[in-house]
Amino acid sequence: MTLQVFWFLLVAVLFIGYFALEGFDYGVGMLMPIIGRKSEVKRRVVLNTIGPVWDGNEVWLLTAGGAMFAAFPEWYASLFSGFYLALLLILVGLITRACAIEWRSKINDDRWRRWCDIGIGLGSWIPALAWGLAFANIVRGVRLNEKRQIEGTLFDLLNPYALLGGLTTLLLFLLHGAVFLSLKTANEVRDDAQRIVRALFVPTAAVVAVFGIWTQLSYGKGWTWIPLLLAVVGLVVAGFAATRGRDGWAFTGTAVTVVSATALLFGVLFPNVLPSTIDAAYSLTVDGRDGTVSASSTHYTLTVMSWVAVIMVPFVLLYQGWTYWVFRQRLTMEQIPDPIGLLMEKARD
């Protein structure tokens, strides 16, 4: 295995981790106004399920972007210039959501909280859709010319395959978030989450199956049937477990589906990192094979980066795993303190 292939796999693993973890954050954010539409206490329970982990989950994206920039600068430059508006929408959504989550509890005012809830919702719906659009277009290929610049506009990215990809990530993250809520909450909130899981399962399974088969038949290789089948098995397990109240197994099933679907996209993409629909010779690949353009950094750069990754990544994984272990208990409405009572207590102090 060359260092270029190693770093392609590492970038894939980082995005897999990001979608598996941040995917349920998006789902929770999208479901928050639905489950808690008539109850502030319910909304706070929903938000508190991701409170200790959402910012740590975003680190996977920062690391994936940094790894892409350092290991494959040509990929990073062409992708971020050609997908500028789409990625800007994602960035604005993430910033809006982060500010809304952090500031929501700073002012005890219903109007203030409603605006923050809108920010959390938009910051979840937009990236959940846009990530699918972006990755579907990467797999499909773009109009990449000999100068490694992407021709076209944002509307060129709104093709049928990419739109189906966006709908796939949107529904899959919604289902993943609903299953996560049923795992992390109890009583009324859990009951609401389980009803949403039952309502979402069939349409999500249908869309994921259609997109996966389209991807495999159009761009896949022989071995990429494996992640596609694993994604289907994960959904079947999730649906079967959810109907029997086995929340842990249901969450494992949706997580396997997210991981396998992302692995499918990277699997059908390799050895390309950005295919060109103008001329295959203009495509960016991991190592410049078959007369294509190499997107990678120098051997020395990849070597130094590899040592840093081998040393630091295990510590990051251990810390994040410890965080999830500490905050593993279910949340209930009875555990949510009265904000008015807290303000009066602070005033007395």
Side-chain angles (χ1 to χ4, degrees), residues 12 16-17 19-21 172 227 231 253-265:
I16 287 171
F19 289 139
L21 298 175
L172 190 53
T254 56
V256 167
T257 300
V258 174
V259 167
S260 301
T262 311
L264 171 66
L265 294 178

Side-chain angles (χ1 to χ4, degrees), residues 18-338:
Y18 175 68
F19 289 139
L21 298 175
E22 189 74 347
F24 67 73
D25 288 344
Y26 290 143
V28 169
M30 289 185 280
L31 292 171
M32 183 177 165
I34 299 173
I35 291 179
R37 62 185 180 277
K38 294 182 180 180
S39 171
E40 166 63 14
V41 176
K42 281 187 178 181
R43 287 194 294 273
R44 291 174 63 191
V45 170
V46 170
L47 185 58
N48 284 357
T49 60
I50 62 171
V53 298
W54 70 269
D55 48 354
N57 293 341
E58 286 192 343
V59 172
W60 286 79
L61 176 61
L62 299 177
T63 308
M68 184 188 294
F69 172 77
F72 302 103
E74 294 289 351
W75 184 15
Y76 183 93
S78 297
L79 181 65
F80 276 73
S81 59
F83 286 55
Y84 182 81
L85 289 178
L87 294 174
L88 180 62
L89 284 174
I90 294 175
L91 181 60
V92 170
L94 293 178
I95 293 173
T96 302
R97 187 186 65 155
C99 293
I101 292 175
E102 293 290 347
W103 296 347
R104 188 180 190 276
S105 62
K106 303 303 181 183
I107 300 177
N108 185 32
D109 179 74
D110 289 338
R111 180 179 297 179
W112 172 262
R113 284 192 289 264
R114 281 196 299 270
W115 278 109
C116 288
D117 292 345
I118 291 172
I120 294 171
L122 290 176
S124 300
W125 284 91
I126 292 173
L129 175 67
W131 279 122
L133 285 170
F135 270 90
N137 275 292
I138 294 172
V139 170
R140 177 178 178 269
V142 293
R143 293 185 54 80
L144 187 69
N145 60 30
E146 70 279 5
K147 297 179 181 179
R148 285 161 281 185
Q149 297 176 344
I150 298 176
E151 301 175 355
T153 65
L154 175 65
F155 295 101
D156 294 324
L157 303 179
L158 303 179
N159 53 79
Y161 176 71
L163 290 172
L164 182 60
L167 182 60
T168 300
T169 53
L170 183 70
L171 288 176
L172 190 53
F173 291 162
L174 264 173
L175 180 64
H176 196 34
V179 172
F180 177 76
L181 284 175
S182 68
L183 174 66
K184 286 290 295 178
T185 60
N187 303 327
E188 291 183 37
V189 179
R190 180 172 179 261
D191 293 340
D192 291 343
Q194 288 181 325
R195 281 193 290 269
I196 292 173
V197 170
R198 290 192 290 270
L200 284 174
F201 179 77
V202 172
T204 301
V207 171
V208 169
V210 172
F211 178 72
I213 292 172
W214 188 347
T215 300
Q216 176 63 29
L217 295 180
S218 299
Y219 313 105
K221 308 171 180 66
W223 69 269
T224 52
W225 281 105
I226 297 174
L228 176 58
L229 292 175
L230 286 175
V232 173
V233 170
L235 273 179
V236 171
V237 170
F240 185 80
T243 58
R244 284 155 178 78
R246 303 294 296 273
D247 300 326
W249 279 105
F251 182 73
T252 301
T254 56
V256 167
T257 300
V258 174
V259 167
S260 301
T262 311
L264 171 66
L265 294 178
F266 277 94
V268 300
L269 181 63
F270 183 82
N272 294 311
V273 292
L274 194 60
S276 173
T277 58
I278 297 176
D279 189 331
Y282 301 156
S283 298
L284 296 178
T285 59
V286 294
D287 52 10
R289 64 184 68 184
D290 300 327
T292 56
V293 181
S294 174
S296 73
S297 294
T298 64
H299 180 80
Y300 178 77
T301 300
L302 296 178
T303 300
V304 174
M305 289 172 55
S306 298
W307 281 108
V308 173
V310 168
I311 294 171
M312 297 304 298
V313 168
F315 289 100
V316 176
L317 295 177
L318 287 171
Y319 172 75
Q320 191 159 31
W322 175 80
T323 302
Y324 277 93
W325 175 256
V326 170
F327 295 100
R328 65 189 182 276
Q329 300 297 327
R330 292 181 183 268
L331 297 176
T332 65
M333 296 174 64
E334 291 73 24
Q335 295 171 319
I336 302 300
D338 177 15

